[in-house]
Amino acid sequence: MGSRSKFEAWKCMNKFHCCVNLSPQPHYPSMTRYPNGTNNQKLESESESKAVFSVIGMTCSACAGSVEKAIKRLQGIREAFVDVLNDKALVLYHPAMVNKERICEAIEDAGFQAKSIDEESNDTSSQICRIHIKGMTCTSCSSTIESALKTIHGVQKARVALATEEAEICYDPNIVSHNQLMETIEDAGFEAILISTGEHISKIEFKVHGILNDESISAIEHSLKALPGVETIDIYPHINKITITYKPYMTGPRTFIQVIESTGSGCFRAVIFPNEGGRETHRQEEIKRYFKFFIWSLALTIPVFLTSMVLMYIPGVKHVLDMKVVNMLNIGLLLRWEFSTPVQFIIGMRFYIGSYKALRKGSANMDVLIALGTNAAYFYSVYVVARAAFSKDFEGSDFFETSAMLISFILLGKYLEVLAKGKTSQAIAKLMDLTPDTATLLTQDDEGNVISEQQIDSRLIQKNDVIKIVPGAKVASDGLVMWGKSHINESMITGEARPVAKRKGDMVIGGTVNENGVLHVKVTRVGSESALSQIVRLVESAQMAKAPVQKLADHISKYFVPLVILLSLSTWLSWFLAGQLHAYPKSWIPSSMNSFELALQFGISVMVIACPCALGLATPTAVMVGTGVGATQGVLIKGGKALESAHKVNCIVFDKTGTLTVGKPVVVTTKLFKNMSLQDFYEFVAAAEARVNSEHPIGKAIVEHAKKTTEYHEQNHPLPEASHFVSVSGHGVKAIVKNKEIMVGNKKLMLDHNISISVDAVEMLAEAEKLAQTGILVSLDGEIAGVLAVSDPLKPDAKQIISILNSMKIRSIMVTGDNWGTANSIARQAGIETVIAEAQPEAKAIKVKDLQSSGYTVAMVGDGINDSPALVAADVGMAIGAGTDIAIEAADIVLMKSNLEDIIIAIDLAKKTFSRIGLNYIWALGYNLLAIPIAAGVLYPFTRFRLPPWIAGAAMAASSVTVVCSSLLLKNYKRPKMLENLDINGIKIG
């Protein structure tokens, strides 16, 4: 934005001016909202108040959109502008209807921290770090970690996702470090592994060959720190490893290698350290660890099981097992004690550690339930051993098999669970694997001639490098085509199946495949800045975000474990007292037990079967799989909240240009009304329109046509300079070119400036409207100089998509800034009945709010730039069209292929995902509601059926695995059958 601040841009925008080269974050013009029955004129006459808020936790424009949407839905808000770069929000409001406290509450409800700026004595900076967490078992664990992190001074926001096993923390690096955050997680009883320390920070590790002593380490560190963009340097001399975090747009890994190797008179050689990190590696380690624990536990449990339940029925073996060692202590009991003890205290140590640290923090989790249940069985059995050893007539049953088998089955369940959970994040793993391992780096002279080629590791690519892409190879990084022609298959990124033609000046995306032809590409984005990294980060963020429906599960889980412990104790006490008071016949007690032991088994069964793991996994696993499937379909869904809103949509508001139409307008007719050459005419038009930076499709079409007409060449025939440029939002532009005032725009622009429109010009406009063309008037020094007719045809599948939406009982409305004639013509072709034309951005948003007040759940489909006010106001904003800035669009859902059919896919996928979430909750809650009474022995008086604790443990583990597998079924998602009959599924204009 240059030297102008975003708040200055906002002021400028309110005067219907448009600043050039604004920040890529969309801005959201004024939208007034009044409650029913309010006197609007009275409110307008009241003095408005202005407040600036500090908003902590925003990381991208999607966050800014969420904050702005939350504020603007309040009654009495006149304007809200969110500055994501400076973590601030400017709000104009009517103090009679809303106050600062209520605005703060709305921002906090959206998931961010807010304070009025005048309440803060010091400005705070913020940084995002992501940490992988090992050892979480249920939502109680994630809640414990969240609470611990939020109590740290300097932490602004923390969220922990059970399904992804990650924490995302927004903190002030001036107050607290990421190492302190990791220590806090470890103090809570979990293992923490740092993933990243910033949104736009890259990390690389080098292995240095050579002797690293204190002197050389100091020299290397000093040299590296002198480089611009270097953030942190960590040196590990014992393994010859150097870790560097840096800003990829300022420096790069090859520079680091040069600095390291030039230090110490060239006695060092640096190479990229073998990759040992990554989410998938940690997941595989966790799977191996659980498998190892389960195998050892099983090996020790099988003898316990055999001696207690199988071998005792074999006459010869039974005699050996019953042989007395001391008094009533026999060999079988002694063997069970010896085999079950390492299972309880060595393999089961993780449950003791987890429960101790959870209880120390004042919470209870699954580990507490397991530790209580297994300890009750084990130590009662030890009591039986002691009594048998010191008594000559004691007869009692041990429960060693209960504790050992319970731990074995729980470990089996956790192994199957982490195995299944690993598959929920396969979409991210596939995206991350798209980048090729190597790239061909070109060295060029000043004239652009290739001097040499070099094969390098793709992680060594830096900004402004020129790389060579041969046919069949993957594009190594985002960049600009400098030489060559080819077709690129972008389906792995955008979901678009058709190869896209690329030539000099076109952008290419890292991870896509070059179909034919050789390309020389200048790298523009690397590391965390690349489109692929942004998409991965967006999907990861979506999988971290909690759906509103998950709040219910988190609330239940908070009280669930203490309630289960209470129920377990009540069950044991009820059955024990009933036995002591002879409230049931002695025949109910198995021959191998007494009333205390029967009661103890019922109590343990209740404790272990009612774990809330399945409840905690119901939503996040479904959201993970749903958003992952969406990414592979070219539909980026930004988290559970977007899914929850999308499945309720019953009204869709469409923009026209680029949404319902192809979005590639062309000038089809030009008519002059002044005595001047066509070349001179278009020279004026191009000079004015080019000043807009060609962001609007129609403006771009006019500039391209003008360039062809004037044989414009940037070096040989530059366009004249345009001064005093003004963009009138929704109407056109005006400027001074060659000392003449030129206006290019619609009829309203001319009438507002008292420019008379001739009858011939009016007739030409009317004729263009009948043909569904947009008429553009051009005036010079207050007189109409000519009329342009611009045609933007309807997308071939638009009519069928609208028809399908009608069959789904979803209302379709078109809102456009174009004239009524063109709008009505396009709407008739598409089959849309309700049309609003000549609408400025604010009017689109107001229409969305009117529909919401009428009871509709509204989705707005637009390009994400001019339609941003409506995208923010809608329940679900859908940005159609994707580029390399995909991750910073302020929409809830991004349709990357620009195909209208993806609207239906997005809604259908949201319905399927949310339906799966509902099914998961029914299973998880229903399982507990059904299983707890059975475990407590409700059926025992009638059927003599009871659940032994080890079977209860197996059932508990099976419930979690079932919920995860239920979510995994979403991976089989297929596009709706109603789309299979489309004649054309999409269109691509080269």
Side-chain angles (χ1 to χ4, degrees):
M1 199 184 297
S3 62
R4 304 182 63 178
S5 71
K6 283 196 170 186
F7 291 126
E8 287 174 332
W10 172 81
K11 291 174 186 175
C12 179
M13 183 175 60
N14 260 2
K15 297 176 183 177
F16 299 103
H17 290 64
C18 181
C19 303
V20 181
N21 293 331
L22 292 179
S23 153
Q25 279 78 19
H27 44 258
Y28 313 103
S30 162
M31 290 181 282
T32 309
R33 182 180 181 183
Y34 304 108
N36 293 334
T38 302
N39 188 327
N40 299 358
Q41 293 177 345
K42 180 182 177 182
L43 278 177
E44 291 287 0
S45 64
E46 283 184 3
S47 61
E48 291 177 348
S49 292
K50 180 175 76 170
V52 179
F53 297 88
S54 169
V55 183
I56 304 301
M58 296 187 297
T59 58
C60 64
S61 285
C63 299
S66 298
V67 172
E68 191 158 340
K69 186 182 291 188
I71 296 172
K72 288 182 176 178
R73 284 181 177 171
L74 295 174
Q75 294 184 347
I77 298 297
R78 172 71 179 86
E79 170 63 271
F81 181 83
V82 179
D83 179 6
V84 70
L85 295 180
N86 296 308
D87 296 322
K88 292 178 182 177
L90 172 67
V91 183
L92 292 180
Y93 65 98
H94 298 284
M97 300 175 62
V98 68
N99 56 28
K100 291 182 181 180
E101 290 74 20
R102 183 69 191 92
I103 297 171
C104 279
E105 287 176 11
I107 297 172
E108 288 170 356
D109 287 343
F112 304 88
Q113 291 184 357
K115 276 188 180 181
S116 178
I117 204 73
D118 53 12
E119 294 175 13
E120 291 192 322
S121 56
N122 299 310
D123 290 336
T124 59
S125 59
S126 63
Q127 187 166 303
I128 298 287
C129 86
R130 297 171 68 89
I131 298 173
H132 176 74
I133 301 172
K134 291 183 178 180
M136 291 192 295
T137 55
C138 61
T139 50
S140 179
C141 299
S142 59
S143 299
T144 299
I145 297 170
E146 272 189 12
S147 300
L149 289 170
K150 286 176 180 177
T151 58
I152 301 173
H153 180 55
V155 171
Q156 298 149 358
K157 184 186 173 187
R159 59 181 183 181
V160 179
L162 173 65
T164 59
E165 297 180 334
E166 288 182 12
E168 189 175 80
I169 308 157
C170 179
Y171 65 102
D172 186 343
N174 299 319
I175 299 174
V176 64
S177 70
H178 63 264
N179 288 326
Q180 290 172 280
L181 301 176
M182 293 169 68
E183 286 173 10
T184 301
I185 294 170
E186 288 170 354
D187 287 343
F190 305 90
E191 186 178 349
I193 300 169
L194 185 66
I195 298 173
S196 64
T197 57
E199 284 293 315
H200 300 291
I201 304 294
S202 292
K203 182 174 81 170
I204 193 162
E205 298 174 338
F206 295 104
K207 187 173 184 65
V208 180
H209 297 280
I211 300 173
L212 287 175
N213 52 36
D214 291 343
E215 186 179 345
S216 61
I217 288 172
S218 178
I220 290 173
E221 189 172 7
H222 184 268
S223 299
L224 289 171
K225 279 184 177 177
L227 295 173
V230 171
E231 293 286 301
T232 63
I233 301 167
D234 295 309
I235 300 179
Y236 308 91
H238 58 290
I239 55 172
N240 287 10
K241 177 178 169 183
I242 297 179
T243 301
I244 305 169
T245 60
Y246 63 98
K247 296 176 181 177
Y249 54 88
M250 295 180 69
T251 186
R254 288 205 316 284
T255 304
F256 303 148
I257 290 176
Q258 290 171 4
V259 168
I260 293 169
E261 294 184 346
S262 63
T263 305
S265 303
C267 61
F268 297 112
R269 190 171 66 86
V271 294
I272 292 180
F273 204 85
N275 188 15
E276 297 176 355
R279 172 191 294 190
E280 198 57 32
T281 304
H282 297 316
R283 181 78 69 186
Q284 291 303 320
E285 287 176 359
E286 187 178 29
I287 290 171
K288 289 177 182 176
R289 187 170 66 253
Y290 272 113
F291 181 72
K292 182 179 71 174
F293 283 152
F294 169 66
I295 291 299
W296 276 107
S297 180
L298 187 64
L300 293 167
T301 300
I302 287 174
V304 178
F305 172 76
L306 292 175
T307 56
S308 65
M309 296 187 178
V310 178
L311 299 179
M312 59 183 294
Y313 296 106
I314 301 174
V317 180
K318 183 180 186 303
H319 176 72
V320 175
L321 295 175
D322 287 341
M323 288 176 63
K324 302 295 187 290
V325 178
V326 179
N327 290 327
M328 297 299 291
L329 178 62
N330 58 42
I331 291 176
L333 184 57
L334 195 61
L335 286 172
R336 288 193 291 275
W337 185 25
E338 289 176 350
F339 279 107
S340 63
T341 299
V343 176
Q344 182 71 33
F345 295 109
I346 299 176
I347 296 172
M349 179 57 70
R350 61 180 305 278
F351 302 120
Y352 284 101
I353 295 171
S355 57
Y356 165 71
K357 292 187 175 179
L359 291 171
R360 193 182 65 177
K361 293 290 182 181
S363 64
N365 60 7
M366 187 190 87
D367 291 335
V368 174
L369 294 179
I370 295 170
L372 284 173
T374 56
N375 277 339
Y378 179 83
F379 284 107
Y380 176 75
S381 301
V382 171
Y383 164 76
V384 170
V385 170
R387 283 292 304 273
F390 293 100
S391 174
K392 294 182 179 181
D393 56 0
F394 174 78
E395 290 185 6
S397 299
D398 65 281
F399 290 152
F400 285 124
E401 82 285 349
T402 294
S403 65
M405 293 175 69
L406 189 54
I407 289 173
S408 294
F409 274 106
I410 288 168
L411 289 173
L412 173 62
K414 291 302 295 180
Y415 167 69
L416 295 174
E417 185 184 314
V418 296
L419 204 62
K421 279 163 64 178
K423 295 180 180 179
T424 63
S425 57
Q426 281 183 349
I428 289 181
K430 288 178 181 176
L431 284 171
M432 295 175 77
D433 288 342
L434 288 177
T435 307
D437 295 329
T438 60
T440 304
L441 178 68
L442 300 180
T443 304
Q444 296 179 313
D445 58 21
D446 295 337
E447 296 179 0
N449 299 316
V450 177
I451 300 173
S452 65
E453 297 182 5
Q454 181 186 359
Q455 202 78 6
I456 63 169
D457 190 309
S458 61
R459 290 172 291 178
L460 294 176
I461 295 174
Q462 297 184 186
K463 189 175 180 181
N464 295 325
D465 282 345
V466 177
I467 56 177
K468 178 181 177 182
I469 315 296
V470 298
K474 288 182 180 178
V475 179
S477 192
D478 296 2
L480 197 68
V481 176
M482 304 299 292
W483 176 87
K485 293 181 181 179
S486 185
H487 286 78
I488 299 289
N489 183 348
E490 298 181 344
S491 61
M492 59 289 298
I493 301 290
T494 67
E496 176 60 66
R498 303 179 184 186
V500 181
K502 299 291 181 181
R503 56 182 181 272
K504 185 178 179 180
D506 289 338
M507 292 295 300
V508 292
I509 305 173
T512 55
V513 178
N514 184 19
E515 296 270 323
N516 49 43
V518 177
L519 296 176
H520 291 177
V521 174
K522 184 177 183 180
V523 175
T524 56
R525 299 185 179 202
V526 293
S528 59
E529 289 188 312
S530 68
L532 185 58
S533 294
Q534 289 183 2
I535 292 171
V536 168
R537 193 160 61 243
L538 186 148
V539 177
E540 285 180 332
S541 181
Q543 294 180 347
M544 287 282 293
K546 293 181 180 178
V549 72
Q550 193 176 341
K551 290 179 181 177
L552 172 65
D554 291 345
H555 190 70
I556 292 172
S557 296
K558 187 177 180 181
Y559 304 101
F560 199 82
V561 173
L563 181 62
V564 167
I565 295 172
L566 184 63
L567 283 172
S568 175
L569 292 173
S570 301
T571 300
W572 169 77
L573 188 61
S574 299
W575 277 98
F576 176 66
L577 290 176
Q580 293 298 306
L581 298 173
H582 306 291
Y584 58 82
K586 286 188 177 181
S587 60
W588 285 16
I589 304 174
S591 58
S592 60
M593 294 185 187
N594 56 37
S595 61
F596 176 84
E597 293 167 349
L598 180 66
L600 185 63
Q601 277 214 349
F602 282 128
I604 295 172
S605 294
V606 169
M607 191 170 290
V608 298
I609 204 168
C611 183
C613 293
L615 194 64
L617 292 169
T619 299
T621 52
V623 169
M624 281 182 71
V625 180
T627 51
V629 168
T632 61
Q633 296 275 340
V635 177
L636 292 184
I637 303 171
K638 297 184 179 178
K641 189 175 181 181
L643 280 169
E644 190 163 338
S645 298
H647 95 281
K648 301 175 185 175
V649 166
N650 53 12
C651 178
I652 298 182
V653 177
F654 289 92
D655 176 45
K656 179 180 75 71
T657 305
T659 303
L660 288 172
T661 61
V662 172
K664 188 76 174 179
V666 291
V667 177
V668 291
T669 310
T670 306
K671 189 170 184 180
L672 301 182
F673 297 105
K674 286 194 76 171
N675 186 19
M676 61 189 305
S677 70
L678 192 64
Q679 180 161 330
D680 290 342
F681 172 79
Y682 268 113
E683 198 169 64
F684 278 100
V685 173
E689 283 290 350
R691 187 72 170 81
V692 191
N693 204 24
S694 301
E695 285 186 357
H696 195 281
I698 292 178
K700 187 182 289 187
I702 293 173
V703 171
E704 288 182 2
H705 187 76
K707 287 178 180 179
K708 293 176 184 176
T709 305
T710 59
E711 297 179 353
Y712 161 77
H713 295 290
E714 191 172 349
Q715 294 179 344
N716 302 330
H717 188 187
L719 286 173
E721 186 70 26
S723 60
H724 298 86
F725 173 84
V726 175
S727 175
V728 184
S729 180
H731 299 303
V733 298
K734 63 178 182 177
I736 303 296
V737 178
K738 291 184 175 180
N739 296 322
K740 289 182 179 289
E741 184 185 59
I742 180 171
M743 291 189 192
V744 183
N746 58 19
K747 189 190 296 184
K748 191 173 188 309
L749 178 68
M750 303 302 163
L751 296 177
D752 287 347
H753 288 81
N754 299 316
I755 297 174
S756 60
I757 304 172
S758 66
V759 176
D760 290 342
V762 171
E763 288 178 355
M764 171 118 185
L765 290 175
E767 185 179 345
E769 289 174 6
K770 288 179 184 177
L771 299 172
Q773 297 170 354
T774 301
I776 305 295
L777 292 164
V778 179
S779 73
L780 284 172
D781 286 338
E783 294 182 10
I784 297 296
V787 177
L788 310 175
V790 180
S791 175
D792 186 13
L794 187 73
K795 287 183 177 178
D797 57 348
K799 185 172 183 179
Q800 291 167 289
I801 295 299
I802 300 300
S803 176
I804 291 171
L805 289 172
N806 290 337
S807 69
M808 295 169 66
K809 294 184 169 47
I810 297 176
R811 184 182 178 190
S812 298
I813 296 172
M814 187 176 82
V815 180
T816 178
D818 211 338
N819 61 74
W820 280 97
T822 304
N824 283 324
S825 178
I826 290 291
R828 277 196 304 272
Q829 293 178 39
I832 296 176
E833 296 180 359
T834 308
V835 181
I836 297 172
E838 299 179 3
Q840 295 182 22
E842 298 94 329
K844 294 181 181 181
I846 290 169
K847 179 59 181 176
V848 167
K849 291 190 173 185
D850 289 343
L851 290 166
Q852 288 170 331
S853 62
S854 301
Y856 285 102
T857 300
V858 182
M860 171 68 196
V861 186
D863 62 10
I865 300 173
N866 295 326
D867 304 305
S868 53
L871 286 169
V872 170
D875 296 286
V876 182
M878 295 187 183
I880 194 163
T884 53
D885 291 329
I886 186 68
I888 61 170
E889 293 290 346
D892 301 303
I893 297 175
V894 182
L895 311 176
M896 298 179 69
K897 289 181 285 188
S898 300
N899 289 348
L900 291 176
E901 67 177 76
D902 289 342
I903 298 168
I904 294 171
I905 290 175
I907 293 172
D908 184 66
L909 180 58
K911 288 180 183 289
K912 294 277 198 317
T913 304
F914 207 77
S915 172
R916 185 62 55 178
I917 291 172
L919 185 63
N920 287 351
Y921 274 126
I922 290 171
W923 171 257
L925 289 170
Y927 163 83
N928 280 307
L929 291 174
L930 183 66
I932 291 174
I934 294 174
V938 169
L939 299 179
Y940 191 69
F942 312 105
T943 63
R944 301 295 182 275
F945 176 78
R946 61 189 173 87
L947 282 177
W950 61 273
I951 293 180
M956 180 272 290
S959 68
S960 297
V961 175
T962 303
V963 165
V964 176
C965 290
S966 170
S967 296
L968 282 172
L969 290 175
L970 281 169
K971 293 181 73 174
N972 299 323
Y973 174 82
K974 304 293 183 187
R975 61 202 298 271
K977 290 184 179 179
M978 61 186 82
L979 295 177
E980 291 177 2
N981 296 324
L982 283 179
D983 294 332
I984 299 178
N985 293 327
I987 188 164
K988 195 76 182 179
I989 300 296

